[in-house]
Structures are given as C-alpha cells and as structure tokens.
Amino acid sequence: RKEVEQDPGPFNVPEGATVAFNCTYSNSASQSFFWYRQDCRKEPKLLMSVYSSGNEDGRFTAQLNRASQYISLLIRDSKLSDSATYLCVPLDYGGSQGNLIFGKGTKLSVKP
Amino acid sequence: NAGVTQTPKFRVLKTGQSMTLLCAQDMNHEYMYWYRQDPGMGLRLIHYSVGEGTTAKGEVPDGYNVSRLKKQNFLLGLESAAPSQTSVYFCASSYMYNEQFFGPGTRLTVL
C-alpha cells in the first residue's frame, strides 16, 4: 500500500504561535496533494490544495518539494479553532484510477 | 446546497444482521467513495464508483457491497454484519480524480 508519513503529535502550542507540520509520501508518481483537517469524530474537510510553486491561504501556507517527496503546512497566528488533526493527502494514480491516500495525521492542540 | 449527506447517522446492529447506508450528493460529481475509519487510524477505501452503474473495489472491500443506480446516490450494504465492521463510515464525492468532499459519517456498532 502506498503510504504517507506524518508525526502524529500532539503538537501543543499557545494561541498566536506559528506551527509547522511535515509529511513525506512514498509514491514519486503522485501528482496532486491536499491538506485536510479533521475535528474529533467529524468528517475530513479540505483545507487547501498544494501546488508545486507553494501556495498561501490566509494564515496557512503549503509547500511541496517533489525531489524530497516532502510536503509542509505552516500555520501562523494559531487560533483555538485550529485545534484538529491535519492530514497530508497525496493523490496516487495507478493504472486508470486515482485515489487519495490517508495517513493518521498530525494532531494539533492550541491552548489559551 | 447540502453537499454530501449520509443516512443514518448512527446504527447498532447484531452480528449477522444486514443494513444499507445511503450517501447522496448534490454537486453533480461523477465519482463517489465509501471509506471506513477505525479509532486512531486513517481512512481506508472500501469501494468507489466513477459513474452511474459502475463500481470498483478499494483497499478493504470484503464484507461490503455497493450500488450506484443513480448518479447522486451511492449505497453501501452489509449483508451479514460482523463486530469487525464496527467503525465510522464516510462517504465522499469528487469531480473526477481530485479533491474529495465528505459527508458527516455514519457511526456503526456491531454487537
């Protein structure tokens, strides 16, 4: 099975902190990448797509390093509402199909 | 738009009973998926469909069947439930192979 590896955490940070998550993926043929967040006992929700040139959405910045098969997510000015599990999700293509590969994610806890 | 909805939200079954989980999406997506998530684990793909009338096996298909009679609906069936099928089941949909949008999940307990 194709895999993705993340530090499970938990990352415990104070409000206002900057926190970074890293992720490595095993399939060098992966073409698309996403960050999802999953709150406890809820469905995963798309946070952002990850583009080769890197992209930013408000307080969130994602980077992709294809040579190292490495993806990162930076969260600035952490809010209490950012507490969740963050999932690095590559889209793997095999033959005629493409499927998202989910790992266990990284748990973030933002404290007051 | 409701996005992706799932019915029911919770269910308790006895071993050997059968049930069907319903997923519906109003985004006109061609592709739909069923996943299961066990405590502390990542999502695992059970079955998926790339269009009305088509289905395919995912990573953990044993013990489950699916049907996609209408584009907006994807049904997951358990013919003879087992305790190992206790899990949270998520349905998702996407426009082709791209980011997926998930329903709120069904919590199933098999006693």
Side-chain angles (χ1 to χ4, degrees):
Chain A
R1 176 174 183 230
K2 307 295 190 300
E3 291 185 347
V4 57
E5 294 189 15
Q6 294 180 249
D7 182 341
F11 284 58
N12 296 308
V13 303
E15 269 188 295
T18 295
V19 61
F21 304 136
N22 303 318
C23 159
T24 58
Y25 60 94
S26 61
N27 186 358
S28 59
S30 296
Q31 294 295 316
S32 303
F33 305 88
F34 309 97
W35 281 101
Y36 280 78
R37 66 168 282 166
Q38 186 173 25
D39 293 280
C40 187
R41 301 175 69 80
K42 300 282 190 178
E43 75 273 25
K45 292 185 178 178
L46 180 67
L47 182 64
M48 60 196 303
S49 302
V50 185
Y51 304 125
S52 296
S53 56
N55 50 303
E56 185 174 311
D57 183 1
R59 298 182 292 108
F60 300 86
T61 300
Q63 296 282 348
L64 169 63
N65 183 324
R66 288 189 185 274
S68 301
Q69 296 182 206
Y70 171 96
I71 304 166
S72 65
L73 177 69
L74 183 75
I75 305 175
R76 290 179 297 277
D77 189 22
S78 299
K79 312 292 185 188
L80 296 177
S81 58
D82 293 334
S83 298
T85 296
Y86 289 83
L87 306 170
C88 162
V89 186
L91 177 59
D92 274 5
Y93 286 97
S96 60
Q97 67 185 57
N99 291 311
L100 297 184
I101 304 300
F102 288 90
K104 299 178 184 180
T106 297
K107 186 173 182 179
L108 171 66
S109 180
V110 181
K111 306 292 187 184
Chain B
N1 289 347
V4 180
T5 58
Q6 292 183 232
T7 308
K9 289 185 169 54
F10 303 93
R11 185 72 186 269
V12 178
L13 290 178
K14 294 181 179 178
T15 297
Q17 288 185 317
S18 63
M19 76 163 294
T20 300
L21 283 66
L22 172 63
C23 175
Q25 53 95 5
D26 62 3
M27 296 177 282
N28 202 34
H29 285 163
E30 285 291 337
Y31 294 13
M32 296 186 73
Y33 313 81
W34 275 107
Y35 292 88
R36 62 177 287 173
Q37 186 174 31
D38 299 314
M41 302 294 289
L43 277 74
R44 292 185 292 169
L45 183 64
I46 304 172
H47 286 280
Y48 64 100
S49 167
V50 297
E52 184 177 318
T54 72
T55 63
K57 293 180 180 180
E59 181 187 357
V60 288
D62 293 343
Y64 305 96
N65 57 76
V66 288
S67 63
R68 182 97 182 269
L69 298 180
K70 293 183 179 180
K71 183 178 181 179
Q72 63 268 32
N73 295 337
F74 195 27
L75 278 64
L76 178 71
L78 286 72
E79 291 184 346
S80 180
S84 61
Q85 294 178 304
T86 294
S87 190
V88 180
Y89 292 85
F90 291 108
C91 175
S93 71
S94 67
Y95 173 69
M96 300 184 71
Y97 288 124
N98 215 320
E99 64 265 21
Q100 295 175 17
F101 298 91
F102 286 81
T106 295
R107 280 171 174 68
L108 175 66
T109 300
V110 183
L111 302 176

